[in-house]
Amino acid sequence: MKAVHVLNGPNLNLLGTREPDIYGKSTLAEIEASLRASCEPRGILLHFRQTNHEGDLVTWIQDAGLAGEPVILNPGAYTHTSVALQDAIKGAGTKVIEVHLSNPHARETFRRHSYVSPVARGVIQGFGALSYDLALQALIAEAGQSEGRRT
Ligand code: DQA
């Protein structure tokens, strides 16, 4: 695995101060720093982005898929509404691990349905910022990349 894309949807720029009892106190910058610390020794290029716009996510998912690079995706509320994200993942053949800080199944009923899960390689949710690290670990393990060995 040469590169990984970590794509964050709406309102995740507010992490740290947004409903910390649900989403924790880590900022998006802290999540990025933790992932970077795992990627760098393995020679994995990290593309870490956030947007409040659905179309940006569609474009970034398409680009990653067409480049053959995997995505760790927290679609935020678009998880529960976006046919366009599902179509982008299917259309570009993007390998996606869906992540959530909270456990949507333990919350309001409208959060129980995900348009992304049926086309995701896997889903990791409910572990706060650690969800992202676990998703990266899964990709690294599947790519067979132990620390320091560049493949
Ligand atoms: C979220 C869960 C979504 O239901 C919510 O809309 C978010 C964040 C999470 O990471 O827990 O914005 O994706």
Side-chain angles (χ1 to χ4, degrees):
M1 178 168 65
K2 292 201 169 88
V4 60
H5 298 254
V6 181
L7 307 181
N8 296 280
N11 300 306
L12 294 168
N13 53 313
L14 300 178
L15 284 184
T17 54
R18 176 192 181 197
E19 302 181 87
D21 43 320
I22 295 174
Y23 297 116
K25 289 184 183 153
S26 299
T27 65
L28 207 54
E30 287 166 347
I31 291 172
E32 178 177 358
S34 173
L35 295 176
R36 228 167 255 295
S38 297
C39 284
E40 271 174 13
R42 295 177 172 86
I44 301 168
L45 194 61
L46 175 67
H47 301 284
F48 192 98
R49 296 190 176 93
Q50 188 275 332
T51 180
N52 292 324
H53 304 280
E54 186 176 8
D56 289 341
L57 291 173
V58 169
T59 300
W60 295 342
I61 287 166
Q62 285 183 8
D63 289 349
L66 296 177
E69 295 168 352
V71 168
I72 294 169
L73 175 65
N74 185 346
Y78 291 137
T79 307
H80 318 297
T81 62
S82 181
V83 175
L85 289 186
Q86 182 178 120
D87 284 353
I89 294 164
K90 277 201 285 198
T94 313
K95 179 177 182 177
V96 168
I97 300 194
E98 177 184 350
V99 298
H100 299 283
L101 296 137
S102 66
N103 174 2
H105 291 276
R107 301 180 62 193
E108 301 97 323
T109 49
F110 68 82
R111 295 187 200 275
R112 289 189 195 153
H113 178 261
S114 167
Y115 280 96
V116 172
S117 298
V119 291
R121 170 72 185 85
V123 184
I124 299 173
Q125 53 195 24
F127 296 96
L130 187 60
S131 293
Y132 288 79
D133 296 296
L134 294 172
L136 181 61
Q137 270 182 37
L139 287 176
I140 288 169
E142 285 200 331
Q145 259 166 316
S146 59
E147 187 162 3
R149 202 185 86 216
R150 300 180 183 205
T151 51

